[in-house]
Amino acid sequence: MHVDSRELLERTAAHAAEFLAGLGSRPVAPGGSTAALREALGRSLPEEGMDDVRVVDELVRDTADGLLGSAGGRFFGWVIGGGVPAALAADWLTATWDQNAAMHACGPAVAVVEEVTGEWLKELLGLPGAASFAFTTGAQSAHVTALAAARHKLLADRGWDVERRGLAGSPAVRVLTSGHQHASIDRAVRLLGLGTDQLHAVGADAEGRIDLAALERELAAADGPVMVCLQAGEINTGSFDPFEEACALAAARGAWVHVDGAFGLWAAVSDRHRHLLSEAGGADSWTTDAHKWLNVPFDSGLVFVRHPSAHRAAMSTRASYLVHADDTAAEDGTAPARDQLDWNPEWSRRARAVPVYAAIRSLGRRGIAAVIDGCVDHAHRLVAEIGSLPGVEVLARPVINQGLVRFTAADGDHDARTDRVIGLVQRGGAAWFGGTTWNGVRAMRISVVNWRTDDQDVDRAVAAVRAVVG
Ligand SMILES: *Cc1c(COP(=O)(O)O)cnc(C)c1O
């Protein structure tokens, strides 16, 4: 324990600033082995407490070799994103205030921040103004929320109250995808009890976009309720499904269209890239992440639903000990307050809209567009310059911020060489790229979503790959 929390917090802020200042020079890959980390951190359970300054100092020391430099500008693995300074600072305050964002009554200010931020986001992302929204842990729980709303409406339209009766005996709900959906869709289908046997890949083109003719056939063949899961930003190629046509086909059949736009939905903010979304606003639900391309710290997914009553019916819950905002008449005739747990799959939770609010105010619409456009330009340069090195083949030029290359081998074993090169670049520490399998072959995936990445980072990353392939 420690009584002077100001000293502790100032010291912690100094540690944090030092970490951020070191991102440009420290290796991107973690240096320490798992065994060394276990050795450093794995003490026996303490019986007695200790001084908090020591707790924090030793936490910094003992984790240092095991931190991945994903907060920095030369990390191009998965789709991770960093944190803009205002969002990081607001995230600290969120933890400091420790408001329970379950309900308005537990923290009116953060509930109103959430209301305001939800409205801003719909405007930024080109979504219907009347859509409902929720701030979730990530796109995974956002999918669960959206597809729970879909399950409610599709079954209610057929006279089946799924919240009351469950799925036993209900009409089976078919879920159509391109076959390139993110695995979090499969897991949402599992968690909602729809069953992965109901997932059906209709087929896709070479970049992973859903095959419209096949979608039309599958929609015509299905006789029960149908969800169609589309993507804004395929995880490997960054491709966008043909929303306008797919939504028209689905609407004619009464199917629910869900869009996974975990990173790609942010293209809506950019004048240069908005066209990729065509009529994605015509879908029934959308998910995205603020912790990816908006560069807010983790724990920041978003879901939007065109049908607020279905969303609320799937999520809302009442309890006698709570103070529900819409049971309490507003003294001055203003609109009733918004209780977050009417829209979220969680009860108690952090006020995760606060860092999103701060990021949007800090960057403004123009600043967000500049982050998007900058990342896209860097991705194009990385793919073009790495792709022009000897023995490198470009498998997917970026549609947006994602691209794929592979490394060819004289002995014909391109998969093995690709994995070897990825490992050597990672161990070199100057940049970090991950591997993936695309259309049956191993590839190095290039993803740029960090606001910090600049031209020098791209130069250093290309040089790091050149040093390995010669
Ligand atoms: C990252 C990602 C997800 C999962 O998002 P989480 O925020 O990690 O839950 C889903 N879909 C796509 C396309 C993604 O890139």
Side-chain angles (χ1 to χ4, degrees):
M1 266 296 286
H2 198 83
V3 280
D4 182 2
S5 58
R6 175 176 290 271
E7 183 202 347
L8 179 67
L9 294 180
E10 285 176 356
R11 198 174 172 90
T12 306
H15 279 305
E18 199 172 319
F19 174 80
L20 293 175
L23 281 172
S25 50
R26 56 174 287 164
V28 184
S33 66
T34 303
L37 287 166
R38 287 186 178 137
E39 173 71 23
L41 291 157
R43 304 173 170 88
S44 55
L45 173 70
E47 286 302 328
E48 304 296 335
M50 64 189 280
D51 180 72
D52 288 346
V53 167
R54 229 182 103 199
V55 172
V56 168
D57 286 355
E58 292 188 4
L59 184 63
V60 170
R61 182 195 69 196
D62 296 342
T63 54
D65 280 346
L67 297 177
L68 178 63
S70 51
R74 281 169 290 110
F75 183 85
F76 307 107
W78 302 295
V79 187
I80 293 239
V84 291
L88 174 59
D91 204 58
W92 287 353
L93 286 174
T94 303
T96 309
W97 296 335
D98 201 20
Q99 302 285 288
N100 185 345
M103 309 189 74
H104 182 90
C106 303
V110 299
V112 172
V113 166
E114 183 163 320
E115 285 179 20
V116 170
T117 311
E119 297 303 321
W120 283 353
L121 285 162
K122 285 185 278 177
E123 208 178 319
L124 273 171
L125 298 171
L127 302 178
S132 51
F133 56 85
F135 289 71
T136 65
T137 56
Q140 172 70 77
S141 51
H143 289 332
V144 171
T145 308
L147 297 188
R151 185 182 68 168
H152 170 88
K153 182 163 190 305
L154 290 170
L155 292 175
D157 287 351
R158 287 161 181 80
W160 187 271
D161 179 347
V162 70
E163 281 72 32
R164 193 170 59 81
R165 301 176 74 181
L167 284 170
S170 79
V173 180
R174 195 112 163 108
V175 185
L176 304 180
T177 74
S178 65
H180 289 282
Q181 77 277 11
H182 189 273
S184 54
I185 293 284
D186 301 47
R187 187 154 63 166
V189 165
R190 271 165 45 195
L191 290 172
L192 290 167
L194 302 174
T196 48
D197 277 358
Q198 294 303 329
L199 262 172
H200 185 72
V202 305
D205 69 11
E207 282 181 7
R209 282 180 292 249
I210 199 163
D211 178 336
L212 286 169
L215 175 63
E216 187 168 18
R217 276 197 305 278
E218 293 295 336
L219 282 166
D223 50 8
V226 179
M227 301 177 187
V228 179
C229 292
L230 302 177
Q231 296 196 97
E234 199 277 335
I235 195 75
N236 286 302
T237 64
S239 65
F240 288 66
D241 278 322
F243 300 108
E244 189 169 4
E245 298 82 350
C247 288
L249 292 173
R253 172 64 182 64
W256 178 291
V257 176
H258 175 64
V259 176
D260 177 358
F263 58 95
L265 204 58
W266 292 98
V269 190
S270 159
D271 291 340
R272 278 169 50 195
H273 304 295
R274 184 175 305 123
H275 65 94
L276 291 167
L277 285 158
S278 59
E279 295 294 320
D284 297 287
S285 58
W286 307 262
T287 61
T288 189
D289 274 319
H291 58 218
K292 288 180 178 170
W293 227 346
L294 186 61
N295 280 265
V296 164
F298 276 105
D299 193 348
S300 202
L302 297 161
V303 57
F304 304 88
V305 181
R306 175 185 297 282
H307 314 279
S309 59
H311 182 180
R312 188 169 179 153
M315 287 299 138
S316 183
T317 183
R318 318 293 281 182
S320 58
Y321 68 90
L322 297 176
V323 183
H324 293 281
D326 51 9
D327 294 342
T328 336
E331 324 78 271
D332 55 1
T334 50
R338 177 179 180 278
D339 280 332
Q340 298 94 317
L341 61 62
D342 284 331
W343 312 98
N344 263 75
E346 297 113 344
W347 204 284
S348 301
R349 65 171 178 89
R350 66 190 278 103
R352 56 174 74 95
V354 174
V356 180
Y357 176 88
I360 294 173
R361 287 204 73 200
S362 167
L363 294 166
R365 196 199 296 258
R366 282 214 194 98
I368 299 170
V371 170
I372 305 302
D373 291 346
C375 289
V376 174
D377 290 344
H378 294 317
H380 277 273
R381 246 192 85 202
L382 280 165
V383 172
E385 294 186 20
I386 293 172
S388 67
L389 297 172
V392 184
E393 185 188 335
V394 175
L395 294 178
R397 279 185 200 290
V399 173
I400 188 156
N401 64 321
Q402 312 275 117
L404 298 172
V405 297
R406 71 165 172 170
F407 301 93
T408 55
D411 67 2
D413 194 348
H414 311 315
D415 285 359
R417 177 149 195 262
T418 296
D419 282 329
R420 208 159 51 239
V421 171
I422 293 169
L424 287 168
V425 173
Q426 286 179 1
R427 281 195 290 284
W432 205 103
F433 299 93
T436 188
T437 300
W438 176 249
N439 291 336
V441 304
R442 294 295 292 160
M444 184 175 91
R445 195 144 71 80
I446 296 167
S447 170
V448 190
V449 269
N450 197 310
W451 70 282
R452 283 185 192 273
T453 300
D454 62 16
D455 285 327
Q456 286 74 31
D457 289 321
V458 172
D459 291 342
R460 285 176 68 187
V462 173
V465 179
R466 186 185 295 115
V468 169
V469 301

